[in-house]
Structure formats: C-alpha cells, structure tokens
Amino acid sequence: MDAIIEFFRKKEVKRFVIFALIIVVLFSVRSMMNLILLTFIFTFLMNRLVDFTAKRLPLNHKLIVIMLYTLIVGILTVGLVKYLPLITLEISQLVKQITNFFTHPNENPLLGQIESIISGEQIKAYIENGVSFLLQSFSNISKTSIHVLIALILSLFFLLEKPRLIEFTGKFKNSKIAPFYYEIEFFGKKFSRTFGKVIEAQFIIALVNTFLSVIILMVLGYPQIVGLGIMIFFLGLIPVAGVIISLIPLTIIGFTIGGFLTVVYLLIAIMVIHAIEAYILNPKLMSSKTDLPVFYTFVVLIFSQNFFGVWGLIIGIPVFVFLLDILDVTNKNPKQTRSTKKDKLDS
C-alpha cells in the first residue's frame, strides 16, 4: 500500500494523472469546444496585439483594449454589412465556375483523358457533396456568429481584468487544491507558449500569403478576387496542405480564363510565395519545435481531421507541437541538450 502511495506521489505520475483528468474534462464539454477554442485564439491574438500597441503608444492598458476591440468590431460590422452580399455572390460564382468546368465536356485531349478516368456519376456525386457541405455551412453561420460574438466578449473581459484575474488566480497556490493548481499552471504556460505561438504564426503567414496571392491573381486577370482571397486565407491556416488544396480551384479557374500558360504562371508564382513562407516567414515566426517533417504534418492533419473535423485541420499541428513540448521533444542536438542541462546543474 505504501509503495502505491509513494508511486502516485511521484511528480511525473501526478502530472500524467492530472493531464488525463484535463482531457476527460475537455471531452465531457466537447459540445462547447468551438467556443473554448475561439475564446482562447481571440484572447491570445488580441493580447499580443495589445502588448504590441502598448510598447508604441503610451496609453492606459484598458484604453488600448477598448480602442482595439472597437476598431475590430467596427471593421467586422462594416465588412458584414457592405461586403457580405458581394462575398456571397462571388463564392456562388466560383462554385458555378468550378461546377461548369467538370460538367461541360472539354475539347482538350488531356482533360478528356482525365474525364474518361473519372466517370460522370462520380463527378456528379462530388459536386452534390460539395453543395451539401456549403449549404450546411451557411445554415450553421448563425450559430457560428453567436460563438464568435460570445468569444469576443469573453476575451474582452479577460483582457480588461487581466491583472485582477492573475492576482485572484494566484490565491489558489495556497489552497487545498494547490497541487492541481501548479500542474494546471505548468500545462497552461506550455499550451500558451506552443499552441498559441503556432496559431499566431499560422495567422500571420495566412495573411501574408493572401496578400501576395491576391496581387498575383489580379495581375493574371482572375475574377472574383474577394471570394478567392477569403478562400486562400482560410486554407492558409492549414499548414502545408492548405496550399495544395487551394491550388485545385485556382488551377481550374486559371485554365478556364487563360489556358495552360496562365496555369504555368500561377504555379510559378505559388512556388515563389511558398519559398518566401518556407525560408523567410517560418524561421522567424516558428520555433525549432514546430519544424516538423512534411510526412508528420500530413499524418497529424489526417488524424486530427478525422477526430475533430474542420477544426482539426487548423489546431492539429498546434496540439501536436504542444504534446511534443510536454514530452521535451526538440530539434536540438542531444549532446547540446546534455551540455545545457549540465551547465544548469553546475550553476
């Protein structure tokens, strides 16, 4: 009996048990996962933006928070009122354009061979599945809007009362659940440092990719630029796979408006943008722990999409990086790691 008690008193065992309890709690409230994730993402990104602004403007913390939230809510309101009809129209035109590409026969021999491989019934089934997915997404837009609104309000209150929240939460250090508090604090810091950093990097990379891609699409004469820009941004939040997925509709539209030459120009431009992302943005925005092999990236995306749906494509890599951080898996040389630990012990 004493051996069992001593076993559960070990720090690693206690940490594992508490981590398992956290997973069980999150699984029990999985119906609220959209709200939880949106609240964390908004809070983390807005906190970084507030800190960035506070370093450059000598204003009160609460005033900066209110100003930034007012600005963002104003932009969202104007965007929804003024551009939502335009965005809806352009997205519907994109769907029609891609549908016409598959449903109408082409005289090109290469496309004819592809069309002969894929039967008409299969193409029809794919289109019907795509349309049903779009209809389901639009039917859930009101629910999503409510989640976004609640998440924004929660993140606003969190940032307004951040010092008070930190002070109040610190009181649990001397409470009867202090062991739980210290372990949750440990996981919370790890989660913010890895998951939050990767989400922030994905968001910035998606914005840069969208900006550069929209410029190139305008030069190539693409229609429905606003709808394509929104598609590129959301797919850009998916690491690696998002670029490949976005290439499919862009290539189809490019072929319909300018033939193979436009497709070649598009592929060259996308390769340049991807090189900028891989060699400039990723090294500056991502830590060494997020430098995953492409094989691991795709495996994680496949499994996370299977378990978490669309959210899995966005949060799969950040969650995997968080688990790597807990397990102390890094890209550092083992000899360097051992020497670093030795130096810490000597000091």
Side-chain angles (χ1 to χ4, degrees), residues 8 13 129:
F8 280 101
V13 176
N129 290 335

Side-chain angles (χ1 to χ4, degrees), residues 128-141:
E128 288 177 352
N129 290 335
V131 172
S132 63
F133 174 77
L134 287 173
L135 291 175
Q136 185 179 2
S137 300
F138 278 112
S139 63
N140 292 333
I141 194 168

